[in-house]
Amino acid sequence: MVGDKARGEMNAFQRNESKETLFTFISAGDDPPKGDFPVQKKSPKLCGSNYPLSIAFIVVNEFCERFSYYGMRAVLTLYFLSFFHWDENLSTAVYHAFSALCYFTPVIGAIMADSWLGKYKTIIYLSIVYVVGHLIKSVGAIPSLGNQAVHVILSMVGLFLIALGTGGIKPCVSAFGGDQFEEEHTSERNKFFSIFYLSINAGSLISTFVTPVLRGDVKCFGEDCYALAFGVPAALMVLALVVFIAGSGLYRKTPPQGNVLLEVCKCIGFAIKNRLKNRSPQIPKRDHWLDWASEKYSGSRWTLQATKMNADFGIYVLQPDQMQFLNPLLILVFIPIFDLGLYPLINMCKFNFTPIRKMATGMILAGMAFGLAAVVEVKINENDMPRLVPEESLIRVLNLAKNPVRVTIQDQDLFQQPVEAFQNPVEYSKLILNGEEQSLRFTLQHQGLSLDFNYTVKEKSVYSLIVFEADGSLSSRLITDLEAKPENGLAAVRFINGLSEDVNLTIDNKQFIAVQKNYSASEYSLLERDRYNNGKCITEMGEFTLELGLLDFGASYTIVITNVSGGAVKTWKSEDIKSNNVHMAWQLPQYLLISAGEVMFSITGLAFSYSQSPASMKSVLQAGWLLTVAVGNTLVLVVAQAAPMAQWAEFVLFTVLLFAVCIIFSIMGYFYVSVDPEDLEEKEEKRETSSRGNMISLVTKKTKL
């Protein structure tokens, strides 16, 4: 009875109170977490340290995922060039468009994680999308499955899903790893980001070395096995998902804190909408326009450069796409050197090497790397074919006769000296034409005789004039040569049959070439760099051994079959385009600088952006950090497509841009005031406590009794 009376008195009090004041609750827009999120769960520790056991699953997951991504990406440019037969500019454009998309999609993943699903579920769901993309991409690389249109469609769909998956989970995984640490273990968390970056580059290192081997050394469907090169990364992504799910019971799963950027946009939109609805003069004005929301409320070019270099390291010949493994390898070496050696040494010298200064130094090193890349590119170009321009062509003479021949060309002042028999040709000479094409008279002087031949020459073309003896007289042919070096470090070879009977040639048991008699020329065949001494030449007289010797990187050869002697075919080899004479080892300095710069900039920035962001923006700040990579890839895409320029000039442009941005970044960093992560956590806890009360303020309104 006493209890009932007390409750009655209380209810009376509440009723009376409600007659005088009305308490209006204004939501913070950040309601208490829904669902089961064991935020305070502590994971078992690793070997008695302050490192939670859960990060082991996260690190292994990141290793497998990065193996998957970088392994697929390592062969992507050559896939476009060799499988789709796209040109370099289109291949580069699509490659960088894909890379840019991979760094735009982190914003999507961050919003999903911070506002909706939380980091754990976001990683799971987008990893499934990631796996599906890999599988579609692998199927699209099977040559027997449909025509090229089918391959392109499947590949683009697969790449889009991969970009959505890898980009979406990228800001969540690193932030999720940081969430596993208690706030008092700040130093361990900072070390975790170094370990996390080590796992990234360990996966990248192994995959960028292995997948090119799977592509080039393993053959399927009669050609490079891109299906296998994409299939293995797909399997690693499946493993990454399995490992991540296996650690589910150990994770600290923070609830979605609400995405601050999204809430701000909603708040602004609601304020504008509400103000437009309440334009009546009878409605009182508010102090600030936002008060109307009070009711309711984030590179590939170097691979192409490597294709134009000498990749023979003596004991091993590197594939052009394997050179990328240097970057993760050097990062694996530099991280412990910097963390355990360089940074402590700098601190001993009493120099305050702040995160901002580390990042600025990293940008300078990256700029120097592109400067060195430009120097290497200039040296490479010295050995390239001359650039062809309108109303110009290139020509040379191959004298396959027994005696010297003097060649003169109408209206041209070329070939002052007689061309000796089987003389190694000098560099191409330039023909000046009077239009897009011109008919020219070629005069051959041989042993007192003079013979004229007329040939039509087109602008921006490369020719060889073959001079030979046929039926007791001198004759000639004008044949078209390659206008540029063979792509991807391959060697190009063609044959001229100097026999009086047709021949069938087999090279390395793969290439079958039929060449007609009497100095007919075959088309060019592209071969990997190697020594070819076990070829076969089949004539009416029988089968003979064909020895070609070394066909080197990026070279073009004309091989003349002169006669048959004993059990072998006699040949004469001319190097039309010189082989790549700049060794791939000259890329090492630029990789050293870019890797050191990446360690200083990327790892520092990853940890710094996490430490400076509130809990409600951990993922979105990571996404914003990754968004800068997307902007960089977009810039490369724009430069490659909208403003084509010489490759060395492009590298110089990137050098200038990096130094310019470094200056701007340094000025902004000078005025930046760093936030103590512990103070930030205290503020977040106070804000969360307030929001859990679901109350910002109490607005008192008088009412009539």
Side-chain angles (χ1 to χ4, degrees), residues 363-376:
M363 296 174 74
I364 293 172
L365 294 176
M368 294 170 61
F370 277 100
L372 286 180
V375 173
V376 171

Side-chain angles (χ1 to χ4, degrees), residues 670-687:
Y670 179 78
F671 294 100
Y672 180 79
V673 179
S674 296
V675 179
D676 190 331
E678 294 184 3
D679 294 341
L680 191 64
E681 182 68 18
E682 290 178 6
K683 292 179 181 178
E684 283 290 306
E685 289 178 356
K686 290 179 181 178
R687 187 185 72 82

Side-chain angles (χ1 to χ4, degrees), residues 52-127:
L53 180 61
S54 57
I55 67 170
F57 292 88
I58 296 173
V59 169
V60 174
N61 163 267
E62 185 67 10
F63 169 82
C64 295
E65 189 275 326
R66 290 291 86 185
F67 185 107
S68 168
Y69 174 74
Y70 284 109
M72 179 276 302
R73 204 181 71 166
V75 298
L76 195 57
T77 302
L78 296 185
Y79 176 66
F80 293 150
L81 288 169
S82 303
F83 195 83
F84 289 163
H85 304 293
W86 290 350
D87 59 34
E88 283 193 6
N89 283 336
L90 178 58
S91 300
T92 301
V94 176
Y95 175 89
H96 283 288
F98 165 71
S99 298
L101 184 61
C102 289
Y103 288 94
F104 276 119
T105 51
V107 176
I108 299 174
I111 292 174
M112 289 175 61
D114 287 339
S115 304
W116 179 25
L117 296 174
K119 301 182 187 74
Y120 176 75
K121 289 184 178 179
T122 299
I123 294 170
I124 295 292
Y125 295 156
L126 290 182
S127 292

Side-chain angles (χ1 to χ4, degrees), residues 406-511:
R406 185 179 183 87
V407 179
T408 56
I409 304 175
Q410 173 189 343
D411 300 329
Q412 308 289 328
D413 186 19
L414 304 176
F415 310 121
Q416 301 297 325
Q417 300 297 325
V419 181
E420 299 293 331
F422 291 92
Q423 172 184 319
N424 286 325
V426 294
E427 294 181 355
Y428 285 91
S429 300
K430 188 180 297 182
L431 280 174
I432 307 299
L433 308 179
N434 57 16
E436 293 184 0
E437 64 179 37
Q438 182 180 354
S439 180
L440 295 175
R441 184 177 68 254
F442 291 73
T443 301
L444 308 181
Q445 295 177 345
H446 175 258
Q447 292 184 331
L449 297 176
S450 181
L451 299 171
D452 292 335
F453 300 89
N454 291 319
Y455 295 109
T456 299
V457 178
K458 297 181 180 180
E459 66 177 3
K460 300 170 71 171
S461 298
V462 182
Y463 297 98
S464 284
L465 179 68
I466 304 174
V467 180
F468 56 91
E469 295 179 12
D471 300 326
S473 180
L474 201 63
S475 186
S476 68
R477 278 202 180 112
L478 190 67
I479 59 176
T480 304
D481 295 357
L482 288 182
E483 299 171 2
K485 278 181 169 290
E487 297 178 348
N488 306 329
L490 299 175
V493 60
R494 68 176 173 190
F495 295 88
I496 295 177
N497 181 11
L499 304 180
S500 58
E501 53 186 305
D502 297 343
V503 298
N504 292 323
L505 309 175
T506 302
I507 306 172
D508 197 27
N509 297 321
K510 301 173 186 175
Q511 297 281 346

Side-chain angles (χ1 to χ4, degrees), residues 387-676:
R387 183 170 173 265
L388 297 169
V389 298
E391 298 188 358
E392 285 186 2
S393 290
L394 300 176
I395 192 169
R396 64 169 188 169
V397 176
L398 294 180
N399 181 11
L400 307 182
K402 297 178 181 178
N403 298 293
V405 174
R406 185 179 183 87
V407 179
T408 56
I409 304 175
Q410 173 189 343
D411 300 329
Q412 308 289 328
D413 186 19
L414 304 176
F415 310 121
Q416 301 297 325
Q417 300 297 325
V419 181
E420 299 293 331
F422 291 92
Q423 172 184 319
N424 286 325
V426 294
E427 294 181 355
Y428 285 91
S429 300
K430 188 180 297 182
L431 280 174
I432 307 299
L433 308 179
N434 57 16
E436 293 184 0
E437 64 179 37
Q438 182 180 354
S439 180
L440 295 175
R441 184 177 68 254
F442 291 73
T443 301
L444 308 181
Q445 295 177 345
H446 175 258
Q447 292 184 331
L449 297 176
S450 181
L451 299 171
D452 292 335
F453 300 89
N454 291 319
Y455 295 109
T456 299
V457 178
K458 297 181 180 180
E459 66 177 3
K460 300 170 71 171
S461 298
V462 182
Y463 297 98
S464 284
L465 179 68
I466 304 174
V467 180
F468 56 91
E469 295 179 12
D471 300 326
S473 180
L474 201 63
S475 186
S476 68
R477 278 202 180 112
L478 190 67
I479 59 176
T480 304
D481 295 357
L482 288 182
E483 299 171 2
K485 278 181 169 290
E487 297 178 348
N488 306 329
L490 299 175
V493 60
R494 68 176 173 190
F495 295 88
I496 295 177
N497 181 11
L499 304 180
S500 58
E501 53 186 305
D502 297 343
V503 298
N504 292 323
L505 309 175
T506 302
I507 306 172
D508 197 27
N509 297 321
K510 301 173 186 175
Q511 297 281 346
F512 176 80
I513 304 168
V515 192
Q516 296 180 350
K517 60 185 177 182
N518 296 332
Y519 295 93
S520 295
S522 70
E523 298 293 332
Y524 282 98
S525 297
L526 295 178
L527 300 169
E528 293 183 358
R529 189 258 192 188
D530 205 346
R531 293 188 177 275
Y532 294 89
N533 293 324
N534 296 314
K536 296 179 181 179
C537 176
I538 302 175
T539 69
E540 293 178 357
M541 295 183 290
E543 182 178 305
F544 303 93
T545 302
L546 180 65
E547 296 182 0
L548 305 181
L550 177 65
L551 303 183
D552 214 346
F553 295 106
S556 173
Y557 301 93
T558 296
I559 297 178
V560 182
I561 300 174
T562 56
N563 57 57
V564 176
S565 176
V569 172
K570 296 296 183 181
T571 60
W572 176 74
K573 182 167 67 175
S574 166
E575 189 177 48
D576 307 341
I577 300 177
K578 293 181 180 179
S579 61
N580 301 342
N581 63 350
V582 179
H583 201 275
M584 205 180 283
W586 284 106
Q587 281 193 321
L588 181 60
Q590 65 200 52
Y591 273 102
L592 283 167
L593 288 172
I594 198 72
S595 301
E598 188 175 347
V599 169
M600 285 192 169
F601 187 84
S602 295
I603 299 179
T604 306
L606 193 67
F608 188 66
S609 63
Y610 183 91
S611 68
Q612 299 296 291
S613 59
S616 58
M617 292 189 72
K618 294 295 186 186
S619 294
V620 80
L621 255 294
Q622 299 294 301
W625 176 254
L626 297 166
L627 196 62
T628 61
V629 183
V631 175
N633 278 286
T634 303
L635 177 62
V636 174
L637 178 62
V638 171
V639 171
Q641 290 297 99
M645 60 181 69
Q647 188 61 72
W648 67 267
E650 188 176 302
F651 289 149
V652 171
L653 172 64
F654 293 147
T655 301
V656 173
L657 288 176
L658 274 166
F659 281 119
V661 172
C662 180
I663 294 172
I664 297 172
F665 176 82
S666 299
I667 294 173
M668 295 176 66
Y670 179 78
F671 294 100
Y672 180 79
V673 179
S674 296
V675 179
D676 190 331

